């Protein structure tokens, strides 16, 4: 049976529980254990698929097509393992299961209650991933902040498990904040004391307290926290702000978070952590040789979390190319034909982001046209690929009303159309084409050069597709399908061979990029941006020299 680590959070939200959980998981994995992480979210939505990115950031899609919390993205990026539907559970999903069982009569006339029925279902799911011998350690991150009404049943389930499981099989890690009062030049432990007290009142006693702090914690402060919070001083862990999230595993290693956990779990057979690959990546990330600037065109660009996986993929691909990737957010709603060259000035590449609905799409189309006509590296993801198709249809094929039926149901040139199997679906949640599908790549194409393979599989989240009745027309004019789904014939990749780097994909390559396995398309795109930048810089210096002469 697996061992279980629970991570709770106190004082405020946004302390980076997901990163601490992922970092601890990384260290334990580096020590030779098979580790997975799951997240339990207190909200009532069955999954985050129907949530607006403004509400909850990006919706992360797993191999099996689950629409999940963006923290699962961190787990995969850190661990290079696949997560699944089982790794993300919400209050909504718990209640849905219990209510369905009640309707089936499974409770045999009993009154169905939060304790024990809801907590039993929570516990069942908390233990699930550790049941089949696949993992040595299961880390569970509890969303929300201790003291919230809605996370109480999750905390109660942890309390019960702390008693029901053997003592050496459970660790509770509580993450808190130690604020620094600048005026008093002092770190304050009171919020942490209160938060641990609140957790203890629910019956859960934390074994380890991880303290987010801007300033180092002195031994005195650690002693004080230990004293008031009933933990050993060695179990008070300092989590200083880091320059990048990828540094946190090393900070936690220095603070011995993994060793303290293993001690409580009575694990004695751990090897020294193997982190060479990770450190190599960090070195390249911290000491880049040059810089490229790419534009991210989307409609949620002011909210960093909305494009989390894309931004992280840029970081992975930047390290491979030994460049710093500076991302310029360009709001698609404000791009017009008149200002496009000004808005995209100084960019070495353009990524048109995924999205839904018609807001901001004309700006995206104008940006694609600019990239196509000016040889600027272009990378379109999902809606971004669809915009490239529409742009090409309108401006190259002369189909003036080329459109997607998502935005214009009555267009006479529906170059992007709703997929057949989507047409009869009425419900919104979990009904898109989701998860991993195979794609066959044609040899001799840019896609083949990038992937180095004819068979790949990537993750999807969409309802619309390229309308194959236009394929011949597009290919004859120079936008070709270089990747197709072998079973359905759906177009997965389109590219312009005559352009230095112009590629659009119907799937989401950003969802499979990890530190140890960066997404090939991002690596290729940043490589192309680097080349473009070198040319741009040398042209600029020639121009400058000519001016000086
Ligand atoms: N809205 C488009 C579709 O449903 C694109 C989706 C996306 O970019 N993820 O097909």
């Amino acid at each position: 049976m697996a061992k279980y680590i629970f991570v709770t959070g106190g004082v405020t939200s946004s302390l980076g529980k997901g990163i601490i959980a992922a970092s601890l998981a990384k260290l334990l994995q580096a020590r030779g254990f098979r580790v997975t992480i799951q997240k339990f979210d207190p909200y009532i939505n069955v999954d985050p698929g129907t949530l607006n990115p403004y509400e909850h950031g990006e919706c992360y899609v797993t191999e099996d097509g689950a629409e999940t919390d963006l923290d699962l993205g961190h787990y995969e990026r850190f661990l290079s393992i696949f997560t699944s539907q089982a790794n993300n559970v919400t209050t909504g999903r718990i209640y849905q299961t219990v209510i369905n069982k009640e309707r089936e009569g499974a409770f045999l006339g009993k009154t169905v209650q939060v304790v024990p029925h809801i907590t039993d279902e929570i516990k069942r799911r908390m233990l699930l991933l550790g049941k089949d011998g696949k993992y040595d350690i299961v880390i569970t991150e509890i969303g929300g902040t201790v003291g919230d009404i809605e996370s109480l049943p999750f905390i109660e389930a942890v309390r019960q498990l702390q008693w029901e499981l053997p003592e050496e099989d459970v660790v509770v890690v509580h993450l808190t904040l130690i604020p620094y009062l600048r005026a008093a030049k002092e770190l304050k432990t009171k919020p942490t004391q209160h938060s641990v007290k609140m957790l203890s009142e629910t019956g859960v006693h934390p074994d380890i307290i991880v303290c987010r702090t801007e300033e180092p914690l002195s031994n005195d402060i650690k002693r004080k926290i230990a004293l008031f919070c009933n933990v050993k001083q060695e179990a008070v862990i300092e989590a200083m702000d880091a320059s990048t999230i990828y540094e946190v595993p090393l900070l936690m290693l220095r603070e011995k978070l993994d060793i303290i956990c293993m001690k409580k779990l009575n694990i004695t057979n751990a090897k020294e952590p193997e982190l060479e690959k990770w450190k190599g990546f960090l070195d390249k990330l911290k000491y880049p040789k040059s810089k490229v600037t790419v534009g991210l065109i989307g409609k949620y660009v002011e909210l960093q979390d909305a494009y989390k996986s894309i931004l992280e993929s840029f970081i992975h691909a930047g390290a491979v190319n030994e460049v710093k990737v500076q991302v310029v957010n360009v709001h698609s709603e404000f791009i017009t034909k008149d200002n496009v060259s000004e808005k995209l000035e100084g960019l070495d590449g353009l990524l048109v982001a995924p999205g839904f609905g018609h807001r901001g799409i004309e700006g995206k189309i104008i940006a694609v046209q600019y990239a196509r006509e000016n040889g600027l590296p272009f990378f379109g993801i999902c809606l971004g690929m669809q915009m490239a198709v529409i742009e090409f249809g309108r401006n190259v094929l002369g189909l003036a009303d080329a459109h997607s039926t998502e935005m214009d149901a009555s267009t006479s040139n529906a170059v992007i159309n709703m997929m057949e199997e989507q047409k009869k679906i009425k419900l919104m949640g979990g009904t898109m084409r989701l998860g991993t599908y195979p794609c066959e790549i044609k040899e001799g194409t840019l896609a083949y050069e990038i992937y180095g393979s004819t068979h790949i599989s990537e993750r999807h989240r969409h309802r619309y597709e390229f309308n194959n009745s236009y394929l011949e027309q597009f290919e004859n004019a120079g936008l070709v399908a270089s990747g197709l789904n072998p079973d359905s014939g759906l177009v997965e990749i389109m590219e312009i061979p005559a352009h230095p780097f112009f590629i659009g994909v119907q799937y989401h390559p950003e969802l499979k990029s990890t530190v140890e396995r960066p997404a090939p398309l991002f690596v290729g795109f940043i490589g192309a941006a680097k080349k473009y930048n070198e040319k741009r810089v040398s042209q600029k210096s020639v121009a400058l020299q000519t001016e000086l002469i």
Side-chain angles (χ1 to χ4, degrees):
M1 195 170 118
K3 296 194 180 263
Y4 294 90
I5 300 176
F6 295 96
V7 182
T8 57
V11 184
T12 79
S13 57
S14 306
L15 290 183
K17 239 184 322 184
I19 302 297
I20 293 290
S23 299
L24 175 57
K26 182 76 221 169
L27 294 179
L28 295 167
Q29 186 191 55
R31 286 184 179 276
F33 299 105
R34 296 163 307 154
V35 188
T36 189
I37 321 189
Q38 52 187 354
K39 176 145 195 215
F40 280 58
D41 272 313
Y43 53 78
I44 313 241
N45 304 63
V46 172
D47 61 43
T50 53
L51 284 170
N52 182 328
Y54 283 120
E55 291 277 327
H56 202 68
E58 163 190 274
C59 171
Y60 187 78
V61 179
T62 54
E63 285 290 286
D64 61 344
E67 296 180 293
T68 71
D69 185 81
L70 56 76
D71 270 335
L72 272 77
H74 289 309
Y75 307 162
E76 292 203 1
R77 288 188 282 272
F78 273 55
L79 299 179
S80 280
I81 57 160
F82 289 152
T83 55
S84 69
Q85 180 63 72
N87 296 70
N88 191 197
V89 176
T90 67
T91 293
R93 193 170 288 274
I94 299 280
Y95 272 80
Q96 193 182 47
T97 311
V98 173
I99 291 170
N100 286 346
K101 268 169 89 178
E102 186 273 334
R103 292 290 79 185
E104 286 161 14
F107 294 107
L108 306 172
K110 287 252 178 293
T111 308
V112 181
Q113 296 178 298
V114 174
V115 183
H117 302 101
I118 293 296
T119 48
D120 278 353
E121 178 59 19
I122 296 174
K123 285 192 295 180
R124 187 184 72 78
R125 289 181 184 257
M126 279 177 170
L127 300 180
L128 201 61
L129 290 171
K131 287 273 191 233
D132 59 4
K134 231 173 117 191
Y135 299 107
D136 305 310
I137 299 169
V138 178
I139 301 184
T140 303
E141 179 192 346
I142 311 285
T145 309
V146 165
D148 295 347
I149 293 177
E150 49 185 21
S151 53
L152 270 177
F154 292 137
I155 303 287
E156 167 60 16
V158 174
R159 184 193 72 77
Q160 294 178 19
L161 287 176
Q162 247 186 338
W163 288 106
E164 287 167 9
L165 295 175
E167 209 184 321
E168 71 270 18
D169 284 353
V170 188
V171 175
V172 176
V173 179
H174 188 55
L175 174 66
T176 70
L177 174 72
I178 307 286
Y180 180 71
L181 290 194
R182 222 155 282 285
K185 294 199 177 56
E186 247 185 292
L187 285 165
K188 291 293 183 190
T189 64
K190 195 72 81 190
T192 294
Q193 293 178 35
H194 280 300
S195 155
V196 172
K197 197 170 153 204
M198 202 175 314
L199 186 57
S200 302
E201 276 166 10
T202 62
V204 173
H205 184 67
D207 301 292
I208 298 170
I209 298 176
V210 178
C211 306
R212 266 304 291 276
T213 172
E214 282 175 45
E215 297 289 327
L217 300 184
S218 65
N219 273 338
D220 271 355
I221 297 263
K222 282 192 174 179
R223 201 173 308 128
K224 193 169 169 189
I225 297 169
L227 181 71
F228 281 104
C229 301
N230 252 330
V231 295
K232 294 228 170 68
Q233 191 175 327
E234 61 174 21
V236 179
I237 304 286
E238 167 192 293
M240 288 274 286
D241 293 353
S243 59
T244 147
I245 55 169
Y246 297 109
E247 187 134 31
V248 181
L250 300 183
L251 294 182
M252 291 302 104
L253 181 68
R254 219 178 299 147
E255 282 287 304
K256 302 193 172 65
L257 175 61
D258 54 336
I259 292 182
I260 315 280
C261 274
M262 291 190 301
K263 215 165 154 184
K264 168 74 188 11
L265 295 173
N266 204 14
I267 295 175
T268 49
N269 58 344
K271 57 171 191 171
E272 281 304 303
E274 238 172 70
L275 288 162
E276 272 52 50
K277 247 181 151 176
W278 190 271
K279 287 180 185 159
F281 157 77
L282 251 188
D283 265 355
K284 284 192 177 159
L285 179 62
K286 284 167 85 176
Y287 308 107
K289 295 195 175 132
S290 57
K291 189 180 95 175
V292 298
T293 309
V294 296
L296 172 63
I297 318 282
K299 67 173 176 179
Y300 303 115
V301 286
E302 60 279 26
L303 187 85
Q304 290 293 300
D305 274 358
Y307 301 112
K308 194 82 208 159
S309 294
I310 291 178
L311 297 176
E312 298 303 323
S313 303
F314 277 143
I315 292 175
H316 308 156
V320 176
N321 283 287
E322 300 187 74
V323 295
K324 176 177 169 44
V325 181
Q326 187 189 343
V327 181
V328 174
N329 296 319
V330 188
H331 207 302
S332 52
E333 264 185 297
F334 307 128
I335 301 176
T336 63
K337 274 205 155 42
D338 297 331
N339 70 14
V340 61
S341 61
E342 185 194 318
K343 288 254 182 224
L344 306 186
E345 203 192 326
L347 297 184
D348 303 311
L350 191 70
L351 186 146
V352 178
F356 295 84
H358 76 276
R359 191 161 67 86
I361 61 141
E362 290 305 324
K364 286 184 176 175
I365 294 170
I366 294 168
V368 179
Q369 181 179 7
Y370 180 89
R372 181 178 56 77
E373 291 177 349
N374 292 281
L376 180 65
F378 166 81
F379 181 13
I381 298 183
C382 208
L383 184 72
M385 176 198 111
Q386 298 175 355
M387 293 302 108
V389 168
I390 294 169
E391 189 279 317
F392 198 89
R394 287 183 190 175
N395 300 323
V396 179
L397 299 180
L399 311 168
D401 69 340
H403 223 315
S404 162
T405 49
E406 179 179 5
M407 289 89 193
D408 179 2
S410 61
T411 175
S412 58
N413 284 296
V415 289
I416 303 291
N417 214 348
M418 187 175 264
M419 284 179 283
E420 235 8 86
E421 73 260 27
Q422 287 287 326
K423 288 186 177 156
K424 39 197 181 298
I425 295 173
K426 293 277 176 293
L427 290 178
M428 293 298 273
T431 54
M432 279 185 251
R433 179 177 182 237
L434 289 165
T436 205
Y437 285 92
C439 167
E440 232 167 69
I441 295 181
K442 292 185 186 143
E443 283 185 40
T445 60
L446 174 62
Y448 181 75
E449 194 187 306
I450 287 171
Y451 279 97
S453 169
T454 49
H455 287 79
I456 60 158
S457 75
E458 293 278 10
R459 299 183 197 169
H460 297 71
R461 185 174 189 246
H462 65 121
R463 289 195 174 87
Y464 296 82
E465 57 161 326
F466 178 81
N467 181 345
N468 270 331
S469 57
Y470 287 90
L471 187 56
E472 212 184 310
Q473 219 178 326
F474 273 80
E475 292 204 317
N476 288 341
L479 179 61
V480 305
S482 50
L484 296 174
N485 179 299
D487 310 312
S488 60
L490 288 188
V491 170
E492 296 280 8
I493 314 177
M494 296 205 83
E495 60 185 72
I496 299 181
H499 189 283
F501 190 101
F502 190 104
I503 195 157
V505 293
Q506 186 57 76
Y507 51 81
H508 292 264
E510 74 276 21
L511 299 175
K512 267 174 78 170
S513 190
T514 75
V515 165
E516 278 154 27
R517 279 198 306 265
L521 271 167
F522 278 84
V523 176
F525 174 59
I526 295 301
K530 192 170 148 187
K531 264 195 213 142
Y532 188 87
N533 177 276
E534 283 157 9
K535 215 169 89 196
R536 194 161 63 87
V537 172
S538 74
Q539 273 169 0
K540 226 186 197 170
S541 73
V542 170
L544 200 70
Q545 277 167 19
T546 328
E547 221 173 87
L548 288 175
I549 295 163

